mmCIF file of all heavy atoms in Angstrom:
data_model
loop_
_atom_site.group_PDB
_atom_site.id
_atom_site.type_symbol
_atom_site.label_atom_id
_atom_site.label_comp_id
_atom_site.label_asym_id
_atom_site.label_seq_id
_atom_site.Cartn_x
_atom_site.Cartn_y
_atom_site.Cartn_z
ATOM 1 N N ALA A 104 130.382 109.712 90.081
ATOM 2 C CA ALA A 104 131.707 109.340 90.462
ATOM 3 C C ALA A 104 132.417 108.601 89.352
ATOM 4 O O ALA A 104 133.622 108.792 89.118
ATOM 5 C CB ALA A 104 131.575 108.453 91.713
ATOM 6 N N GLY A 105 131.717 107.704 88.606
ATOM 7 C CA GLY A 105 132.366 107.026 87.521
ATOM 8 C C GLY A 105 132.755 107.909 86.396
ATOM 9 O O GLY A 105 133.939 107.776 85.859
ATOM 10 N N TYR A 106 131.912 108.806 86.044
ATOM 11 C CA TYR A 106 132.284 109.770 84.926
ATOM 12 C C TYR A 106 133.461 110.708 85.388
ATOM 13 O O TYR A 106 134.365 110.974 84.592
ATOM 14 C CB TYR A 106 131.087 110.655 84.622
ATOM 15 C CG TYR A 106 130.023 109.917 83.754
ATOM 16 C CD1 TYR A 106 128.816 110.583 83.469
ATOM 17 C CD2 TYR A 106 130.176 108.647 83.395
ATOM 18 C CE1 TYR A 106 127.802 109.943 82.712
ATOM 19 C CE2 TYR A 106 129.196 107.985 82.649
ATOM 20 C CZ TYR A 106 128.006 108.651 82.314
ATOM 21 O OH TYR A 106 127.057 108.035 81.615
ATOM 22 N N ALA A 107 133.442 111.147 86.719
ATOM 23 C CA ALA A 107 134.501 112.001 87.172
ATOM 24 C C ALA A 107 135.833 111.223 87.168
ATOM 25 O O ALA A 107 136.897 111.794 86.826
ATOM 26 C CB ALA A 107 134.175 112.430 88.589
ATOM 27 N N GLU A 108 135.796 109.943 87.575
ATOM 28 C CA GLU A 108 137.058 109.125 87.545
ATOM 29 C C GLU A 108 137.562 108.950 86.145
ATOM 30 O O GLU A 108 138.794 109.031 85.874
ATOM 31 C CB GLU A 108 136.735 107.807 88.187
ATOM 32 C CG GLU A 108 137.852 106.815 88.169
ATOM 33 C CD GLU A 108 138.933 107.183 89.168
ATOM 34 O OE1 GLU A 108 138.672 107.941 90.114
ATOM 35 O OE2 GLU A 108 140.102 106.641 89.044
ATOM 36 N N GLN A 109 136.652 108.699 85.207
ATOM 37 C CA GLN A 109 137.113 108.556 83.831
ATOM 38 C C GLN A 109 137.633 109.789 83.191
ATOM 39 O O GLN A 109 138.631 109.745 82.425
ATOM 40 C CB GLN A 109 135.866 108.051 83.026
ATOM 41 C CG GLN A 109 136.179 107.673 81.567
ATOM 42 C CD GLN A 109 134.956 107.119 80.864
ATOM 43 O OE1 GLN A 109 133.891 106.948 81.392
ATOM 44 N NE2 GLN A 109 135.146 106.783 79.564
ATOM 45 N N ALA A 110 137.021 110.920 83.516
ATOM 46 C CA ALA A 110 137.442 112.237 82.898
ATOM 47 C C ALA A 110 138.531 112.872 83.675
ATOM 48 O O ALA A 110 139.116 113.826 83.192
ATOM 49 C CB ALA A 110 136.223 113.178 82.787
ATOM 50 N N GLY A 111 138.819 112.416 84.910
ATOM 51 C CA GLY A 111 139.813 113.023 85.764
ATOM 52 C C GLY A 111 139.457 114.398 86.266
ATOM 53 O O GLY A 111 140.328 115.227 86.413
ATOM 54 N N THR A 112 138.160 114.650 86.501
ATOM 55 C CA THR A 112 137.647 115.897 87.033
ATOM 56 C C THR A 112 137.059 115.729 88.403
ATOM 57 O O THR A 112 136.883 114.626 88.889
ATOM 58 C CB THR A 112 136.588 116.446 86.052
ATOM 59 O OG1 THR A 112 135.475 115.574 85.984
ATOM 60 C CG2 THR A 112 137.164 116.649 84.703
ATOM 61 N N GLY A 113 136.699 116.828 89.036
ATOM 62 C CA GLY A 113 136.073 116.775 90.306
ATOM 63 C C GLY A 113 134.618 116.415 90.226
ATOM 64 O O GLY A 113 134.002 116.563 89.150
ATOM 65 N N LEU A 114 134.019 115.993 91.380
ATOM 66 C CA LEU A 114 132.628 115.665 91.396
ATOM 67 C C LEU A 114 131.685 116.793 91.008
ATOM 68 O O LEU A 114 130.714 116.611 90.310
ATOM 69 C CB LEU A 114 132.240 115.059 92.747
ATOM 70 C CG LEU A 114 132.932 113.758 93.144
ATOM 71 C CD1 LEU A 114 132.508 113.331 94.561
ATOM 72 C CD2 LEU A 114 132.538 112.591 92.140
ATOM 73 N N VAL A 115 132.000 117.942 91.514
ATOM 74 C CA VAL A 115 131.167 119.122 91.305
ATOM 75 C C VAL A 115 131.206 119.457 89.804
ATOM 76 O O VAL A 115 130.146 119.673 89.131
ATOM 77 C CB VAL A 115 131.601 120.328 92.101
ATOM 78 C CG1 VAL A 115 130.758 121.536 91.736
ATOM 79 C CG2 VAL A 115 131.371 120.002 93.633
ATOM 80 N N ASP A 116 132.391 119.584 89.248
ATOM 81 C CA ASP A 116 132.545 119.901 87.782
ATOM 82 C C ASP A 116 131.797 118.877 86.937
ATOM 83 O O ASP A 116 131.145 119.191 85.977
ATOM 84 C CB ASP A 116 134.001 120.011 87.386
ATOM 85 C CG ASP A 116 134.672 121.217 87.996
ATOM 86 O OD1 ASP A 116 133.940 122.185 88.388
ATOM 87 O OD2 ASP A 116 135.899 121.212 88.115
ATOM 88 N N GLN A 117 131.936 117.594 87.280
ATOM 89 C CA GLN A 117 131.364 116.570 86.486
ATOM 90 C C GLN A 117 129.816 116.616 86.612
ATOM 91 O O GLN A 117 129.089 116.333 85.624
ATOM 92 C CB GLN A 117 131.850 115.178 86.936
ATOM 93 C CG GLN A 117 131.390 114.029 86.033
ATOM 94 C CD GLN A 117 131.915 114.178 84.635
ATOM 95 O OE1 GLN A 117 133.063 114.502 84.354
ATOM 96 N NE2 GLN A 117 131.020 114.058 83.669
ATOM 97 N N SER A 118 129.312 116.937 87.823
ATOM 98 C CA SER A 118 127.889 117.062 87.970
ATOM 99 C C SER A 118 127.296 118.163 87.087
ATOM 100 O O SER A 118 126.284 117.987 86.447
ATOM 101 C CB SER A 118 127.575 117.371 89.468
ATOM 102 O OG SER A 118 128.007 116.354 90.277
#
Side-chain angles (χ1 to χ4, degrees):
Y106 287 177
E108 177 73 17
Q109 184 176 359
T112 60
L114 293 177
V115 175
D116 290 340
Q117 188 60 48
S118 299

